[in-house]
Amino acid sequence: MSSSPKIDASSLLVTSIKGVGEKMGVAFLKLGIKNVEDLLFHFPSDYQDRTRLLKIADLEPNQEFVIRGTVEKVSQTFVPRKMLIVKLSDSTGHIYLRFFYYFPGLRNLFRTGAVMEIAGTSRLGRYGLETIHPDYELCTDLEFFPKILPKYRLTRGITNQRLRNAIAQAIQMMNNEKIEVMDYFPKNNLVNLSDSIQRIHTPLPDDDINDYLVGGRSPHRKRIGLEEIVANKISYLSIKHQNKNKPADIFSDELLANQIIKSLPFKLTQDQKLTYQEIKDDISSGSPMLRLLQGDVGSGKTIVAALIAASVVAEGKQVAILAPTTILAKQHYKNFVDWFGSDIEIELLTSKIPAKERREKLNGIANGSVKIVIGTHAVFQKDVVYESLSLVVYDEQHRFGVTQRLKLKEKAGDYPHQLLLSATPIPRTMAMSVLSGLDVSTIKSLPPNRKPIVTTLLSNKRREALINRIKKAIESGSQVYWVCPIIEESDSSLIGIEDLEKVLKNDFDNNQYDILHGKMPDKVKNQILENFKNKSTKILLATTVIEVGIDVPDANIMVIENSERFGLAQLHQLRGRVGRGDKESYCILMHEDNLSELSEKRLSVISKSNDGFLIAEEDLKLRGPGDILGLSQTGQPSFTFYDLIADEEIQSEANRITDEIMELPIEQQRKIIERWFPAHLELSDI
Ligand code: ADP
Ligand code: MG
């Protein structure tokens, strides 16, 4: 071992990069980037091919391009919104560049007569060909240098250009040996980790982009992919190892659970009974449980978790139930109070409770009078002390980082039982390798009263037909969820809620619809939901806030805008909000006019099937696994996993490395987990 003066990249804050100030640091945090290592592990989700210089006349709408041209005219508008418009032309034609968010200096950069290189995606605007927020560069050289540029997952305040600059600096620091990225793998003959990081961010012009994308064949891509797989395996195994031979409370009192079962307005399904039995066996075994209960949306996982909670409560111990959103936590709270009645003290703990009320709740939790705590990540907070926490239930488990799971565990004196609920079906082909170390129970069937949801695809061109259909449906008593991927139009072709509202204004009374998104204060959100539940509003215009959990039986129509942009698993989850009452239910997937072949295939999968597992399996085949696990929501984009299924060789390699790392001290295991599943990422409290 040499005593090297290099700094570990994970101990250097991202704000130490030139040009990354406090404010940008906060924005970076939203992407899960806190330190320079996180930055280097923020891998491209796609690439921009800038190896071929095109002429403007050759551009088609919806095409990625690089052109060079002269600035002809620069103008600004303020109505209906602030915008910078640049007319750029070459010898063959012209195109308009539009910028909605820009710093004042940008105006001066686009001087009339300046020759610029522009890269972006074209679209057909009212005045001809245009491009929104393209990359731009002043041409200082007559020669054109072909390159492949990375495209990253972004957040407000962070553009691709900013990320590229920051990452380029970090790579330079790595090359100058100022910093290093620790290689936690035991000795091997894989390619060098730092080389792989660099090459994935900056492929060479001759590289085949596909080799560097999900499932790609580049050895660099595989090196990183292998590490993600290993990190994932270790994250589960290390919990399991810590639990091994640890004593856990034994719960076998079924009296309360049986009372609840008797008072339910429905009969448990066969699968609910089976999974309940499996979980009961776990918590009466004397060692800590770590089990995943998976089942399609609406399959009734909550009641199973509640029955398990009942056994724990019956022995005077405490249960914490963790939900990914406040809305969902509230809904669980209501259900639990219904099921458990007033004898069992249940508290709701979210982050926005007044201090005094919060103190009282915390007292009750600390002295043990509160038996069931339901909340968002607020249940993790430092000042929450449990008297005797014995069971932790994580709803929609994929929303929580693995390290967060480790953290809550520390709150329990002993080793608590852990039950993870997931409506994200993990395909059979994937489960074995991804979930190593977890026990899995599956609810396969839905309760008998469900009708299949009729799903249709509709091009944006036929919006008028859609509106007519919705009008009629509302007249006959239907309610509608209308989902947009974003709030305001920020990137090109997506339809934002604000745009959609403008459309709806023309056709509906403004007391017929409401808008719901994650950035609203809780109070407002609850009022809006309440209005929708009691049917005073008919249409709920929402972001994917409504993805998890919301239960309004009379809503039987769901419209999803830009459906081609969603993962199939997510579409399936969204769709699961309807089909809960007795009415026939419909899901209408709006999509852009020119669907790619892949998008068309994917959307046809979901329109033909209501089986979450089958859909996940097909999505996996068509697209790779990232969004199936929803890991992007826990911070890092899921980068690989595909190799795992495609490539036996990688699988056995991953197992071998995992085994070796599991022999190392636990701190070392944690480091690799933290690299891939960063703990510092606060869950957004939507
Ligand atoms: P998920 O598995 O998606 O979390 P929930 O637990 O929220 O599903 O259950 C969805 C709805 O189905 C709830 O309204 C719940 O009360 C109801 N439900 C659960 N089990 C049954 C059953 N066996 N029969 C009828 N309805 C049920
Ligand atoms: Mg649920």
Side-chain angles (χ1 to χ4, degrees):
M1 298 258 158
S2 69
S3 60
S4 117
K6 290 181 248 177
I7 304 171
D8 180 345
S10 71
S11 64
L12 203 59
L13 287 178
V14 68
T15 43
S16 59
I17 297 274
K18 234 194 292 165
V20 181
E22 291 289 312
K23 208 169 143 199
M24 214 196 284
V26 173
F28 267 129
L29 211 52
K30 285 201 198 124
L31 292 171
I33 299 171
K34 189 178 188 183
N35 57 52
V36 176
E37 180 178 290
D38 298 335
L39 184 67
L40 287 166
F41 275 75
H42 191 76
F43 289 109
S45 50
D46 201 354
Y47 294 96
Q48 203 171 56
D49 184 351
R50 290 208 202 162
T51 52
R52 251 164 28 103
L53 190 64
L54 296 178
K55 290 287 175 205
I56 293 178
D58 294 330
L59 299 187
E60 311 249 349
N62 304 317
Q63 181 188 359
E64 280 202 343
F65 65 81
V66 197
I67 50 172
R68 281 182 165 201
T70 310
V71 175
E72 234 175 68
K73 197 174 159 207
V74 184
S75 55
Q76 260 187 119
T77 62
F78 293 93
V79 183
R81 62 197 294 189
K82 193 174 156 213
M83 194 183 342
L84 182 72
I85 307 166
V86 178
K87 184 176 178 187
L88 187 98
S89 54
D90 66 8
S91 56
T92 69
H94 67 263
I95 184 168
Y96 292 96
L97 325 178
R98 294 181 189 274
F99 298 87
F100 300 118
Y101 307 104
Y102 55 96
F103 55 97
L106 193 62
R107 264 182 80 184
N108 302 327
L109 188 77
F110 288 104
R111 266 176 226 269
T112 324
V115 179
M116 311 210 51
E117 188 170 307
I118 304 293
T121 307
S122 57
R123 73 173 192 183
L124 211 50
R126 200 179 301 167
Y127 305 103
L129 219 49
E130 60 179 32
T131 177
I132 312 262
H133 285 199
D135 290 340
Y136 48 84
E137 207 177 323
L138 215 50
C139 295
T140 47
D141 204 313
L142 279 182
E143 198 184 337
F144 171 72
F145 294 100
K147 47 187 175 276
I148 295 173
L149 287 181
K151 293 204 277 191
Y152 297 99
R153 199 164 49 86
L154 305 172
T155 187
R156 180 167 284 191
I158 306 279
T159 57
N160 266 317
Q161 216 129 353
R162 284 189 165 163
L163 260 170
R164 284 173 194 154
N165 287 341
I167 288 171
Q169 270 188 63
I171 288 176
Q172 199 173 31
M173 287 159 84
M174 197 164 66
N175 288 341
N176 294 343
E177 312 212 328
K178 286 202 179 104
I179 59 169
E180 68 179 326
V181 172
M182 307 300 285
D183 187 345
Y184 299 121
F185 274 12
K187 208 173 154 22
N188 57 60
N189 44 25
L190 299 163
V191 286
N192 177 282
L193 177 62
S194 309
D195 290 348
S196 298
I197 292 172
Q198 172 162 8
R199 188 68 168 271
I200 292 172
H201 286 294
T202 53
L204 306 178
D206 287 338
D207 282 336
D208 181 345
I209 287 177
N210 290 322
D211 288 346
Y212 288 81
L213 287 172
V214 168
R217 290 169 312 173
S218 142
H220 299 293
R221 179 73 188 51
K222 290 206 164 158
R223 168 65 183 80
I224 300 296
L226 195 56
E227 189 170 311
E228 186 184 3
I229 294 162
V230 167
N232 188 71
K233 283 175 184 287
I234 291 173
S235 69
Y236 288 116
L237 284 175
S238 71
I239 299 175
K240 186 130 180 161
H241 273 219
Q242 286 175 67
N243 283 2
K244 218 158 121 193
N245 306 321
K246 294 292 189 299
D249 296 327
I250 294 178
F251 298 106
S252 52
D253 184 342
E254 294 174 30
L255 213 63
L256 182 58
N258 287 337
Q259 273 173 24
I260 293 176
I261 293 175
K262 266 199 214 116
S263 66
L264 287 175
F266 50 77
K267 273 211 185 93
L268 293 181
T269 62
Q270 204 54 37
D271 282 350
Q272 281 173 318
K273 284 186 199 158
L274 276 174
T275 50
Y276 172 48
Q277 189 59 49
E278 280 173 351
I279 303 168
K280 254 190 340 199
D281 290 347
D282 282 353
I283 59 169
S284 58
S285 75
S287 22
M289 161 173 78
L290 182 61
R291 182 174 287 273
L292 176 75
L293 172 60
Q294 59 169 350
D296 220 335
V297 256
S299 60
K301 297 180 291 291
T302 320
I303 183 64
V304 177
L307 295 173
I308 294 301
S311 307
V312 174
V313 170
E315 313 251 11
K317 298 290 176 123
Q318 289 173 305
V319 179
I321 295 174
L322 195 60
T325 67
T326 306
I327 293 175
L328 199 55
K330 287 198 170 140
Q331 205 165 277
H332 285 334
Y333 175 74
K334 194 176 157 295
N335 279 329
F336 272 64
V337 170
D338 273 357
W339 291 330
F340 281 84
S342 51
D343 291 347
I344 304 293
E345 206 176 313
I346 305 176
E347 282 291 6
L348 180 67
L349 206 60
T350 60
S351 54
K352 284 170 193 138
I353 297 172
K356 182 161 170 275
E357 201 180 317
R358 182 179 160 82
R359 229 171 341 203
E360 281 165 16
K361 291 188 184 204
L362 295 194
N363 279 340
I365 297 169
N367 70 28
S369 62
V370 173
K371 292 299 178 219
I372 302 181
V373 183
I374 301 178
T376 54
H377 61 290
V379 305
F380 281 128
Q381 270 152 10
K382 262 215 186 82
D383 56 346
V384 188
V385 179
Y386 293 83
E387 193 232 6
S388 57
L389 181 60
S390 284
L391 169 68
V392 185
V393 179
Y394 304 84
D395 194 15
E396 307 297 342
Q397 61 93 20
H398 62 278
R399 295 264 181 137
F400 299 98
V402 179
T403 26
Q404 274 167 312
R405 284 206 282 277
L406 292 168
K407 211 152 108 192
L408 184 64
K409 203 179 70 76
E410 286 157 9
K411 291 220 170 275
D414 233 329
Y415 285 78
H417 298 291
Q418 300 188 71
L419 180 62
L420 320 179
L421 310 184
S422 174
T424 306
I426 295 167
R428 202 172 22 80
T429 39
M430 210 173 163
M432 279 286 285
S433 32
V434 174
L435 303 177
S436 42
L438 267 187
D439 296 314
V440 180
S441 295
T442 307
I443 303 181
K444 291 185 209 80
S445 52
L446 296 181
N449 56 353
R450 300 290 151 73
K451 283 189 181 165
I453 302 158
V454 179
T455 301
T456 46
L457 306 183
L458 202 65
S459 150
N460 284 339
K461 272 194 172 161
R462 303 194 44 211
R463 188 166 291 281
E464 214 167 303
L466 171 75
I467 294 201
N468 287 333
R469 185 168 162 194
I470 299 288
K471 272 188 188 162
K472 279 202 191 112
I474 288 178
E475 274 166 27
S476 62
S478 287
Q479 283 178 282
V480 182
Y481 293 108
W482 205 315
V483 182
C484 295
I486 50 169
I487 298 171
E488 54 187 295
E489 180 188 54
S490 59
D491 104 32
S492 68
S493 54
L494 289 185
I495 291 166
I497 284 199
E498 289 175 358
D499 304 296
L500 191 57
E501 194 198 354
K502 282 180 206 143
V503 175
L504 293 195
K505 251 187 198 147
N506 291 329
D507 291 282
F508 299 93
D509 290 344
N510 64 10
N511 56 8
Q512 280 187 306
Y513 62 87
D514 247 332
I515 295 180
L516 181 74
H517 60 75
K519 295 211 173 101
M520 294 174 155
D522 264 5
K523 237 178 154 171
V524 180
K525 271 190 279 191
N526 289 328
Q527 189 56 53
I528 288 170
L529 268 180
E530 205 38 59
N531 290 346
F532 191 61
K533 277 188 183 172
N534 69 28
K535 299 187 106 178
S536 53
T537 44
K538 309 294 183 210
I539 302 177
L540 192 61
L541 217 54
T543 51
T544 51
V545 186
I546 63 152
E547 174 191 352
V548 273
I550 294 176
D551 203 13
V552 181
D554 279 321
N556 70 328
I557 298 182
M558 168 157 296
V559 181
I560 304 176
E561 298 286 345
N562 293 113
S563 60
E564 71 275 7
R565 298 295 187 97
F566 289 88
L568 289 192
Q570 201 183 7
L571 285 177
H572 182 63
Q573 287 232 357
L574 279 168
R575 177 171 72 171
R577 296 306 109 219
V578 297
R580 303 196 154 215
D582 329 315
K583 282 188 199 154
E584 194 77 58
S585 293
Y586 302 93
C587 174
I588 300 152
L589 302 176
M590 300 300 290
H591 59 79
E592 61 184 13
D593 195 32
N594 298 311
L595 271 188
S596 71
E597 198 180 324
L598 178 62
S599 297
E600 208 169 308
K601 269 195 199 141
R602 293 179 56 241
L603 291 180
S604 102
V605 168
I606 192 147
S607 66
K608 284 189 189 126
S609 172
N610 274 299
D611 176 344
F613 284 91
L614 187 138
I615 289 168
E617 200 91 37
E618 289 297 313
D619 205 16
L620 180 68
K621 274 189 220 149
L622 287 170
R623 206 175 59 139
D627 287 86
I628 291 176
L629 284 177
L631 283 175
S632 48
Q633 284 148 338
T634 61
Q636 302 275 336
S638 178
F639 190 57
T640 65
F641 284 136
Y642 190 66
D643 311 88
L644 188 67
I645 295 132
D647 196 334
E648 285 284 331
E649 202 180 309
I650 280 210
Q651 230 178 116
S652 50
E653 180 107 53
N655 286 337
R656 194 179 54 72
I657 294 171
T658 303
D659 289 346
E660 283 187 49
I661 293 180
M662 288 310 294
E663 298 295 320
L664 300 175
I666 183 134
E667 297 76 52
Q668 212 130 336
Q669 296 166 21
R670 280 207 181 193
K671 280 198 164 137
I672 203 165
I673 296 172
E674 268 162 26
R675 172 180 285 172
W676 284 96
F677 308 102
H680 50 255
L681 190 82
E682 281 295 312
L683 282 168
S684 57
D685 191 18
I686 44 176

